[in-house]
Amino acid sequence: HTLSSAVVFSKYKQHQFPLGDSCIWLSLSRFLFQLAIDNDRDVLLTSLSEFCGTHQVYVRLLDIAARKSETTRIGGRLTKSLRDLDAKARGGEPSELQQSLQRVSFNIKCAEVQEAEKRLAQLNHLLQRVQSAAEKLDRGYVQIGCEEFEILMPEVDASGLQGPEVEEAMHKLHAAKARNDSKDRAGPTHSLASLTDALRNKGHMTLTQRLRVQDQFNELEQQVVALKAERDAALAQAAPAQEELERLRAERDAALAAAAPSEEEVAECR
C-alpha cells in the first residue's frame, strides 16, 4: 500500500490505515507495555520485549514508564535505568555507555536501547580509529599518525568521544608533535591567569581545546621554572661580590675611625 491509499476521510477527520505489520505491532506493543507497567507484570514485560526484539518493533518507553515511576515497581526501575542510559548516551565514554546498557532493567528492548546501541557502535568505531593512529605514533610513523589525528579531531569533537583511552592517545599526539617541533618560541604567548581560568572552565571545552590549553599551561610553567633557576643562579653569582663589598665597607669605616683626630688634638688646635 502507498501512503495515499492508506488515508481515508470521513465527515469530520481523516483516518489512516496501517501500512503494514510493523504499524500494527507498534501500536499494540505500546498498549501492552503500558498494561505491563501499570500492573507490574514482569512476565508480560519480558515476553513482550523478546517479541519486539525479534520483530524489530521498538517502542519509546521512557515517557510511558515515567508516568508510573512513583506508583509501580516496574515503572520506577525502568524510569531510573532508561534515564541513566539517556545520560550516558549523551556523553561520549563508550565504557560507561556499555555498562549502562547492561544495567537496563528487565533486559528490555525498546527505542531508547536501540538508539544507545547505535551510539555505542559509533563511539567504539571512532575509538578504534583513534587508537590505530596512536599505534602509528608508537611505531615511529609520526607524520602518518599526526595526519590521521588531524582528520579525526573534528569527528572526535563532534561526537563528544572521551575517556582514558582517548586522553592517552591525545597525549601521545602532543608529545610526538613536541618532539618534532623545531621552531624556537620567543616567549610565552599566554598569561598564566588566562590559562588557569581556561582550565577551570574546561567542562565547557572540547577535548582538543582542553589538551591545547593544558599544553600551553605546561609550557608556561616550564618557562617560569627556567626563569626562577636563572634568577637563583644570578643571585648565587652575586653573593661573593656582595660579601666583598661589605668587607671593603668595613675596612673603610675602620680606616676613617683610625684617622679621626683625638679630643686632645682637637683642643690643641683650638
Side-chain angles (χ1 to χ4, degrees):
H1 298 283
T2 63
L3 180 61
S4 59
S5 65
V7 176
V8 295
F9 296 90
S10 64
K11 182 177 180 181
Y12 300 104
K13 60 186 295 186
Q14 74 175 30
H15 309 270
Q16 182 170 335
F17 292 116
L19 299 177
D21 291 347
S22 59
C23 294
I24 298 175
W25 293 131
L26 185 62
S27 299
L28 180 60
S29 298
R30 188 180 295 112
F31 167 76
L32 292 176
F33 270 121
Q34 181 73 67
L35 180 66
I37 293 171
D38 289 352
N39 296 276
D40 275 333
R41 300 292 181 87
D42 297 44
V43 176
L44 175 59
L45 188 74
T46 303
S47 301
L48 187 57
S49 177
E50 293 176 356
F51 175 86
C52 289
T54 302
H55 292 79
Q56 297 183 346
V57 176
Y58 301 106
V59 177
R60 192 164 295 278
L61 286 183
L62 180 55
D63 292 340
I64 297 176
R67 288 196 291 267
K68 294 292 183 177
S69 60
E70 297 181 358
T71 56
T72 67
R73 174 180 53 84
I74 291 179
R77 288 180 58 183
L78 275 179
T79 300
K80 181 180 179 180
S81 59
L82 290 178
R83 282 179 176 168
D84 177 71
L85 182 65
D86 180 68
K88 295 299 186 295
R90 293 176 186 273
E93 189 159 349
S95 59
E96 291 186 355
L97 180 53
Q98 177 66 49
Q99 293 173 3
S100 183
L101 276 169
Q102 294 172 351
R103 291 195 298 266
V104 172
S105 299
F106 308 103
N107 193 28
I108 205 75
K109 298 297 182 184
C110 60
E112 290 86 353
V113 171
Q114 183 195 31
E115 292 169 359
E117 289 174 344
K118 289 182 178 179
R119 168 76 167 157
L120 178 61
Q122 293 171 351
L123 291 175
N124 280 331
H125 178 66
L126 187 55
L127 178 60
Q128 291 175 358
R129 294 170 61 192
V130 170
Q131 291 175 329
S132 175
E135 289 177 2
K136 289 181 174 64
L137 296 178
D138 290 337
R139 293 163 58 186
Y141 303 119
V142 178
Q143 183 176 356
I144 298 175
C146 290
E147 289 176 353
E148 288 190 7
F149 269 112
E150 291 299 325
I151 296 173
L152 285 170
M153 289 319 302
E155 296 183 47
V156 172
D157 291 339
S159 67
L161 178 65
Q162 56 185 317
E165 299 92 346
V166 181
E167 297 282 352
E168 180 182 359
M170 296 308 299
H171 283 303
K172 288 181 180 180
L173 170 64
H174 286 279
K177 284 186 174 181
R179 288 193 300 267
N180 287 273
D181 188 4
S182 59
K183 295 186 298 181
D184 296 327
R185 298 181 179 178
T189 57
H190 304 274
S191 68
L192 184 61
S194 64
L195 292 177
T196 302
D197 291 340
L199 286 175
R200 287 174 180 170
N201 296 315
K202 64 182 182 179
H204 304 287
M205 303 165 64
T206 64
L207 176 62
T208 306
Q209 292 171 333
R210 294 203 308 269
L211 292 175
R212 186 180 298 116
V213 170
Q214 184 67 57
D215 286 345
Q216 293 169 352
F217 187 84
N218 293 339
E219 176 190 354
L220 190 58
E221 279 193 328
Q222 292 173 0
Q223 293 172 347
V224 170
V225 171
L227 290 173
K228 287 182 178 179
E230 292 178 3
R231 180 202 63 186
D232 295 340
L235 291 175
Q237 293 176 357
Q242 183 67 26
E243 293 175 359
E244 181 65 17
L245 179 60
E246 294 295 334
R247 185 183 66 78
L248 292 174
R249 285 177 177 173
E251 292 180 356
R252 180 200 64 185
D253 294 341
L256 290 174
S262 64
E263 293 181 358
E264 296 176 355
E265 292 176 336
V266 171
E268 291 178 358
C269 290
R270 290 177 177 174

